[in-house]
Amino acid sequence: MALSIEPLFSDPVNGDFYKKAFLFLTEPERMVSFHVPWEDDNGEQHVNRGWRVEFSSALGPYKGGLRFHPTVNDGILKFLGFEQIFKNALTGLPLGGGKGGSDFDPKGRSDGEIRRFCESFMTQLNRYIGASTDIPAGDIGVGGREIGYMYGQYKRLTNLHGEGVLTGKSPLFGGIKLRPEATGFGAVYMAQHAIEDKLKSTLQGSHCAVSGSGNVAQYASRMLINLGAKVVSVSDSNGCLVFRDGMTNDDWDQLIEAKQVKRTRLSSLSCGEYIPSHSPWTVDDLSIDYAFPCATQNEIDSDGASLLMSKGCKGVFEGANLPVTAQGQEVLRENQKVLYIPGKAANAGGVGVSGLEMSQNAGKTYWAKEKVDVMLKDMMAGVYKQMKDGAGEDGSLEEGCNRAGFLKVAHALKELGWVY
Ligand code: NDP
């Protein structure tokens, strides 16, 4: 991000202001931390830590997901919240940036344990959020089930029942249709724009490697299959499931059953070729035309990026947030031809449709799935245009999206009188 912004600091008219605005934005407006006591199925009490980073409200209420994963700490949430500011700016919606979560590990926990944890988490968090203040959503370890339990507790605590205070809710009580699909579908729509515009080609028949097997990976895979691409991999933190001729519809159904219903590991699936202790970025003999990292941060290091380049990979589209390490990014930048689209643009469809869920809730109505898909497609086209315009004649798409997001927030800071 900083590398893309730095040239703006030499602007003869606004350079000093941009520098001040950037420094202003590096400090979260507010950060809360709280304990989350909960009881397991054996009656034993545990205490985890919860956080909410309210990073910037320049463009609107704080907006960003909640992550439940044992690696969560305040540093990780700060980098995610910082990125979220500029991603949300690119959606074109009036959304500020935030992020939150807990170091709670949901893996292997029963439904009752998850519910008790979510209720305790919301008992603390509800003091800080509100439909016009801060609107959390899901992220790693937080899907529709967890959002449901947290919203249930919010309703009990506040007696507010139609609020767009959480997004990613079930359509039974205000959730927008297509939200589960939005991040993965949006990342593929973004890839389509870039491939058609820059390479005059399509995804049809191409070998696409997807990492992760959670929400983003599942629906990126679905849309890639719909568009005739060959999905050659998915993964989890234990290993990689490879489909050398592309995942079939039956394989995809098995994946969904395993991950959404049974909540089991990829190693238990009977389809594909399971390679333990590998990710798609470490399997030497896997053909990859396009990479869709959709698992977590820092999953593609310089070796992974070099392997992709040696295979002739033509595009990296980040479904996850910051999946490529700084060293991996350098490798991609050295290869001028590769299309590299950072998460703040490629995965903006998720928060974009969450923003639409807030509008839907404010209007006390429901929108058809087809209507939401059209809006998502328009939004991704808009993000691509901003990124291309931001890049100008000589810049990369990476520089373009970082600059476009930053400039929008910087100008808001000026007009609000917060930086002068
Ligand atoms: P899920 O929890 O649904 O899935 C996460 C997937 O990534 C799982 O397959 C998980 O495997 C894998 N994973 C997690 N940590 C690691 C790790 N350290 N090493 C290898 N694999 C790992 O999360 P989402 O799909 O929602 O999120 C994935 C990424 O997309 C995250 O970076 C998130 O911030 C980003 N994102 C998500 C959005 C959304 O709408 N959900 C919106 C925008 C971005 P395992 O089960 O073994 O842990």
Side-chain angles (χ1 to χ4, degrees):
M1 176 82 196
L3 285 179
S4 305
I5 303 301
E6 211 178 350
L8 298 175
F9 301 159
S10 323
D11 182 282
V13 182
N14 288 313
D16 285 348
F17 167 72
Y18 290 146
K19 200 183 284 180
K20 276 197 268 178
F22 187 71
L23 288 175
F24 184 92
L25 285 168
T26 56
E27 192 62 36
E29 288 174 17
R30 190 178 305 109
M31 199 163 159
V32 292
S33 159
F34 43 85
H35 77 161
V36 189
W38 59 282
E39 193 175 289
D40 70 20
D41 287 344
N42 300 319
E44 198 181 322
Q45 194 184 35
H46 301 258
V47 183
N48 282 93
R49 185 115 298 260
W51 292 268
R52 186 71 183 161
V53 184
E54 297 185 332
F55 225 116
S56 171
S57 60
L59 298 186
Y62 310 105
K63 178 92 194 92
L66 296 171
R67 177 176 292 192
F68 293 168
H69 195 272
T71 58
V72 165
N73 57 38
D74 53 352
I76 287 179
L77 295 177
K78 277 199 265 186
F79 104 69
L80 289 166
F82 184 68
E83 288 287 301
Q84 194 83 41
I85 303 171
F86 310 105
K87 178 191 311 192
N88 293 1
L90 290 170
T91 65
L93 298 173
L95 301 171
K99 200 80 191 183
S102 172
D103 56 7
F104 169 69
D105 186 358
K107 251 185 230 137
R109 290 292 172 191
S110 70
D111 201 54
E113 290 172 326
I114 297 285
R115 180 176 49 74
R116 289 192 291 279
F117 178 82
C118 289
E119 288 172 355
S120 181
F121 186 85
M122 184 51 78
T123 300
Q124 299 293 328
L125 185 70
N126 88 90
R127 302 162 200 201
Y128 312 108
I129 61 177
S132 297
T133 308
D134 184 351
I135 305 97
D139 191 79
I140 291 177
V142 178
R145 173 181 62 167
E146 291 74 18
I147 292 287
Y149 292 149
M150 286 191 268
Y151 189 56
Q153 182 71 345
Y154 181 85
K155 281 156 67 71
R156 278 194 288 237
L157 290 167
T158 62
N159 200 28
L160 296 169
H161 304 295
E163 298 281 285
V165 69
L166 285 173
T167 57
K169 302 185 290 296
S170 161
L172 292 173
F173 38 80
I176 196 165
K177 293 179 183 124
L178 210 82
R179 177 61 188 87
E181 293 91 339
T183 310
F185 279 17
V188 177
Y189 295 157
M190 177 58 76
Q192 272 187 302
H193 282 297
I195 292 167
E196 279 167 20
D197 183 38
K198 298 282 183 190
L199 306 180
K200 311 294 175 220
S201 184
T202 69
L203 284 160
Q204 170 91 31
S206 63
H207 291 76
C208 295
V210 175
S211 64
S213 48
N215 171 265
V216 182
Q218 290 164 17
Y219 291 103
S221 303
R222 180 66 266 163
M223 185 48 71
L224 286 167
I225 297 171
N226 291 357
L227 294 173
K230 290 181 195 297
V231 175
V232 296
S233 65
V234 287
S235 64
D236 62 20
S237 51
N238 298 116
C240 181
L241 194 60
V242 165
F243 302 87
R244 293 185 193 274
D245 296 323
M247 188 190 277
T248 63
N249 284 323
D250 284 348
D251 298 335
W252 189 81
D253 289 345
Q254 269 203 51
L255 172 72
I256 296 304
E257 171 81 9
K259 290 295 170 183
Q260 292 189 9
V261 183
K262 295 184 185 156
R263 297 181 190 274
T264 55
R265 314 300 300 158
L266 284 181
S267 53
S268 70
L269 268 76
S270 58
C271 58
E273 174 196 342
Y274 183 71
I275 309 180
S277 307
H278 271 275
S279 84
W281 326 124
T282 61
V283 179
D284 288 337
D285 59 347
L286 186 64
S287 293
I288 301 179
D289 297 313
Y290 298 110
F292 291 81
C294 296
T296 191
Q297 67 272 8
N298 296 332
E299 50 171 303
I300 303 183
D301 58 13
S302 58
D303 288 345
S306 300
L307 185 61
L308 283 174
M309 295 305 96
S310 72
K311 292 176 176 184
C313 173
K314 298 185 288 275
V316 178
F317 308 102
E318 294 185 343
N321 287 309
L322 255 72
V324 185
T325 64
Q327 294 75 20
Q329 289 175 9
E330 275 173 32
V331 173
L332 298 184
R333 279 184 210 116
E334 276 162 21
N335 187 317
Q336 304 272 320
K337 282 196 193 133
V338 70
L339 296 172
Y340 169 46
I341 305 205
K344 64 170 70 66
N347 68 41
V351 71
V353 171
S354 274
L356 299 180
E357 182 170 328
M358 290 159 62
S359 304
Q360 187 191 259
N361 293 160
K364 312 281 180 215
T365 187
Y366 277 111
W367 296 340
K369 197 169 186 171
E370 296 71 28
K371 172 179 167 139
V372 180
D373 196 30
V374 169
M375 292 165 100
L376 171 62
K377 282 183 173 141
D378 284 351
M379 195 178 293
M380 297 318 288
V383 174
Y384 185 71
K385 185 175 181 322
Q386 290 175 71
M387 188 163 48
K388 208 176 149 185
D389 292 349
E393 294 281 298
D394 308 321
S396 64
L397 292 173
E398 179 196 5
E399 289 166 327
C401 79
N402 284 330
R403 285 180 199 156
F406 169 72
L407 286 173
K408 200 174 263 187
V409 184
H411 289 134
L413 291 173
K414 187 168 219 168
E415 290 187 30
L416 290 165
W418 292 0
V419 177
Y420 36 86

